[in-house]
Each structure stands twice: as C-alpha cells, then as structure tokens.
Amino acid sequence: MLALYHRDLTLGLRTGSGAMTGVLFFLAVIAVIPFGVGPDLDLLARIGPAVLWLGALLSSLLGLERLFQADREDGSLDLLLISDTRHMLAVTVFVKCLAHWTVSVLPLVIVAPLLGMFMNMPAEGIAVTTLTLLAGTPAITFIGAVGAALVVALPRGGLLISVLVLPLTIPVLIFGVAAGRAAVVENDPFLPPFLILAALALFFAVLGPAAAALALRSADD
Amino acid sequence: MSESSRATARVTALANPTRFLAFTGRVLPWLGSAAVLIIALGLFMGFTAPEDYQQGITVRIMYIHVPFAWLSMFCYTIMAASALGTLVWRHPLADVSLKAAAPIGATFTALALVTGSIWGKPMWGTWWVWDARLTSVFVLFLMYLGIIALTRAMDDPGRGARAAAILTLVGFINIPIIKFSVDWWNTLHQPASVMRLDGPTIHPSLLWPLLVSALGFTLLFLTLHLMAMRAEIWRRRLAAMRRVSARAVDGLAVQENAS
C-alpha cells in the first residue's frame, strides 16, 4: 500500500502538469472574482471564505478525471483489480485518493493563504479558512473518486464527473464556508460546523472508496 | 461479463420480461383508467373545496403541487430500491426500472419546482427564494439529471445500469445529509421559514381533495413507469434482434465468400 502511495505520488509529481494546472486554475478563479463583484475590499473580505472554498472545490474537480484513467490506459488498473484478494480494493482506492489529494489538492490548500490576502481577509480568517480547507478537501476527493470510477470507461468523462459530483459536495461546501465565516463575521459559531465538516470527511472516506471500488469492478467485467 | 453469465442473463431476460410484458399488458389499461378517474375526482374536489381565507384561489395549485413534490421523492425511493435490485440480485428488470424511472422522476421534480414558483409568485411576491426546502428539491432535480446523463453516456446497457445504480445509491445516502446541511445553512440566513405545510394542520375540507389527488398522481406515476419499462424492454429486444440479424447477414456473406 505504501508502495502504491509512493508510486502515485511520484507519477503525479513527475508528470507535473496536474498540480500546477490546478493551482493556476485556482489563482485564475480568485483573480476574476473582483472583476465580477467589484473591488470593494470590505465586500471581498466578507465573501472571502466562500470564494476560497468555491475556487478550491472547482479546482479539485479538474484533476479527478485522471485518478483512474491513467491506470486504466497502461493496464495497471487491471492489476490492482486482480490483487483484490490480497488487499481490499476499497483500501487500494483509498490510498489512491490520498495520493491524489497530496499531489493535486494539497497545493491548493498551501496557496490558499496567499489568495486569502488578495481577498483582503484578516489573518485570523485566512488561518481558519485554510484549516477548514485542510479538513474538508479530502471529502471532495473521496466523493470525486466515485464519479471518476463511474466514468472511467468513457473517453471524455471529465465534464460528466463535475456534473455528477457537484450536487453531492454541497454539504461539504456549506459546512466549510460556515466554519470559515466564523472568523470573518462576528458571533458566528466555529466549532460545530467545523466538527461536522470533519465528520463528513471521515464519513466520505468510508463511503467514497467503497462505492468507487464497486464501480470499478462493475466497469471492468 | 463472462460468456456463461451473459448467456444466463440472456435466458432470464427472455423468460422473465416476457411474463412481465404479458402481466403489465393486462394491468396497464385498468391502472391507467383508475389514475385518470381518481385525478379527475381529486381535481374536481379541489375545485369545489372552499378557498383559503388568506390565499384565495391560488391555494388550488396545492392540489397538483404537493402530489408532484411527493412523487419526486417517491420516485427516487423506487429508483434506490431498483438500484439495490441491480447490484445485489442482478435482477434483469431492476435496471430497466431504474432507467425508466429517472426521466419521469426528473419531470415530476421539475413540475413541482415550476408549480411551486407559480404559487410562490403571488404568495411571497417572488418566483424563487433560497428556502431550505426549495433548495433541497432543486438539488434532487440536479441529481436526477446527473443520473440520466450517466445512463445516456454509456453505450453498453448492462454497464450503464450498474454505474447508474451505484450513483443512485450514493445519492440516496446523501439526500438526508444534503437536507440536513441545507436546513443548517438556511437558518444562518433567515430564521423563519416561509413555507410550512404540515399535513395535519390543514382543514379536512382541503386535506381530502389533496389526498385523493395525491393517490391519483401516484397511480399515474405507476402507469407511466410501467409503460416506460415496457418501452425500454422492447427497445432492448429490438437492439438484440438487429444484432442477431446483422450477425446472420455477416455469416451468409462469409459462407458465400468461402464457397
């Protein structure tokens, strides 16, 4: 399992395109927001957590298509399916999701504080929003794995993944933004939404890989 | 799918759906006419029921809006049950049922949204509010469309059915979470919900027509669902026959070349 994690990590880093494109897309989304809503710094500070979350959500959907497709193309997905007897396929999918998260989504979390400064958010707000992103984005990856596994056999499934996955990520978005807003808006609670967000991430860490494994197996035969 | 399982699937697909077709062929006319009669009765009762003292005549839209909203959830439940049937028992009719129900459910959900906003315009003065209930129905609509898009994208019906089944089940587990989170999200913004329609608080003179028309529309849904399933079975048979005849022509050509 560790070997699989290392392999996916090196593959993701060496090809290089995935992580950088995601970060660039995130940057571009944040950059166009002020043009849309106007350069009012107070307003930007108020909607900052929401904008960061939306940007991170959309950017993390970008790379999902490659999660299983690259493995399917070079045949290693079949090997992973065959080795189901030694390692449960759901665990394999879980590890692949973790690797994907490390390569493509963690960079988004890392650049989020910088983009938060663009949005004129207070330092505390930036820290809190980054924390919620750190806790919440794995949930998006786990849900996205289901979508990626469902469309793995389709030649151009990228757009379909987004359509399938976005409605399912609404709870994560709601609680992520609710927790992030606590630092920007007075007397909004922080801990309850944050804990629910963490619970959602754990819940989808179980549900997502299991459903994705089922989908991969049914797409294979 | 291996060759033997495909063969057995074909045998069951021939045996079981034939009985299904014969059975639904007998039941459908009765079901359809019952649906039409009961809907007519429900609407008639609705139109003769007293008007709401506050909402006036617009309250009559309730007699179609509430059944649509109820069916939008009923249909998803049926789809989730079919998805379970596809994945667990590999029942050949379950995936037909899932595929046939999705467009009908999407239509009912869309109708619920449209009639709701037509009702909302004179009552709340706006076509749309981001009310918790409206939003979760809207998300449900999006999920219906996603399932339809997924079934359409797959060219192999068996594989598409299983993919749609998995998506339906994941969505079914998610619906309570979405509902809960949307409620939470909404209380942050506007404390009092505009729309509260608790069944028992309605006066009986309004409740009875509502129940009758809900029953009528449920029968209508069942009729449409069975008809769509029959159409889907026939469509698959047609495709299978085309494949067989194409293979036969192919075989003839090979024989001619050989001789």
Side-chain angles (χ1 to χ4, degrees), chain A residues 28 37-38 59 62 103 105 132 144 188:
Chain A
V37 301
S59 322
L62 272 188
V103 173
V105 187
T132 59
D188 261 10

Side-chain angles (χ1 to χ4, degrees), chain B residues 27-44:
Chain B
V27 168
L28 262 180
W30 295 100
L31 201 62
S33 29
V36 170
L37 279 178
I38 295 181
I39 288 176
L41 178 68
L43 291 185
F44 174 74

Side-chain angles (χ1 to χ4, degrees), chain A residues 146 150-151 153-154 160 164 167-168 170-171 174-175 178 181 192-193 196 200 203-204 207 211 214-215 218-219 221, chain B residues 1 87 139 142-143 146 149-150 153-154 159 162-163 166-167 170-171 173-174 177-178 180-182 184-185 188-189:
Chain A
V146 183
L150 284 175
V151 302
L154 295 178
L160 195 56
L164 299 181
L168 301 178
I170 286 174
I174 287 176
F175 288 107
R181 201 188 289 113
I196 296 178
L200 279 177
F203 177 70
F204 285 119
L207 179 69
L214 196 62
S218 78
D221 59 14
Chain B
M1 211 187 273
L87 291 177
V139 174
L142 286 182
M143 278 162 53
L150 188 64
M154 302 268 182
R159 190 175 293 174
R162 260 165 294 151
I166 292 167
L167 183 63
V170 171
I173 297 170
N174 246 17
I177 302 177
I178 291 177
F180 161 69
S181 60
V182 165
W184 167 290
W185 163 76
L188 278 181
H189 286 266

Side-chain angles (χ1 to χ4, degrees), chain A residues 11-48:
Chain A
L11 270 180
L13 288 177
R14 295 267 163 82
T15 47
S17 61
M20 271 319 284
T21 321
V23 171
L24 280 179
F25 184 75
F26 194 18
L27 192 67
V29 168
I30 302 298
V32 294
I33 295 289
F35 296 108
V37 301
D40 179 6
L41 285 180
D42 286 341
L43 177 67
L44 286 181
R46 201 145 30 89
I47 63 173

Side-chain angles (χ1 to χ4, degrees), chain A:
Chain A
M1 286 293 109
L2 207 61
L4 179 68
Y5 183 77
H6 269 293
R7 167 188 170 273
D8 272 18
L9 213 59
T10 10
L11 270 180
L13 288 177
R14 295 267 163 82
T15 47
S17 61
M20 271 319 284
T21 321
V23 171
L24 280 179
F25 184 75
F26 194 18
L27 192 67
V29 168
I30 302 298
V32 294
I33 295 289
F35 296 108
V37 301
D40 179 6
L41 285 180
D42 286 341
L43 177 67
L44 286 181
R46 201 145 30 89
I47 63 173
V51 168
L52 282 186
W53 256 95
L54 282 175
L57 174 63
L58 295 178
S59 322
S60 58
L61 288 179
L62 272 188
L64 276 176
E65 192 186 1
R66 302 300 295 165
L67 183 54
F68 299 115
Q69 214 167 40
D71 280 355
R72 186 186 166 83
E73 280 159 8
D74 65 10
S76 46
L77 185 65
D78 291 331
L79 290 180
L80 292 178
L81 286 172
I82 291 170
S83 69
D84 187 24
T85 43
R86 277 188 296 148
H87 313 288
M88 235 170 85
L89 186 57
V91 179
T92 313
V93 173
F94 178 75
V95 171
K96 278 191 72 68
C97 288
L98 279 188
H100 177 263
W101 181 81
T102 319
V103 173
S104 331
V105 187
L106 193 59
L108 302 178
V109 181
I110 292 171
V111 297
L114 180 69
L115 300 178
M117 276 157 63
F118 280 140
M119 298 301 290
N120 190 33
M121 284 161 66
E124 193 195 354
I126 292 178
V128 167
T129 307
T130 312
L131 192 64
T132 59
L133 280 174
L134 196 62
T137 44
I140 298 174
T141 306
F142 290 129
I143 302 172
V146 183
L150 284 175
V151 302
V152 68
L154 295 178
R156 267 181 296 279
L159 195 59
L160 195 56
I161 294 181
S162 311
V163 173
L164 299 181
V165 165
L166 268 179
L168 301 178
T169 55
I170 286 174
V172 181
L173 182 66
I174 287 176
F175 288 107
V177 174
R181 201 188 289 113
V184 188
V185 183
E186 290 294 313
N187 65 41
D188 261 10
F190 167 71
L191 205 55
F194 184 74
L195 288 181
I196 296 178
L197 181 69
L200 279 177
L202 292 176
F203 177 70
F204 285 119
V206 177
L207 179 69
L214 196 62
L216 281 179
R217 215 174 283 134
S218 78
D220 181 58
D221 59 14

Side-chain angles (χ1 to χ4, degrees), chain B residues 185-206:
Chain B
W185 163 76
N186 192 252
T187 50
L188 278 181
H189 286 266
Q190 45 186 88
S193 165
V194 199
M195 196 161 91
R196 266 285 162 261
L197 228 167
D198 298 323
T201 62
I202 305 180
H203 191 264
S205 65
L206 299 179

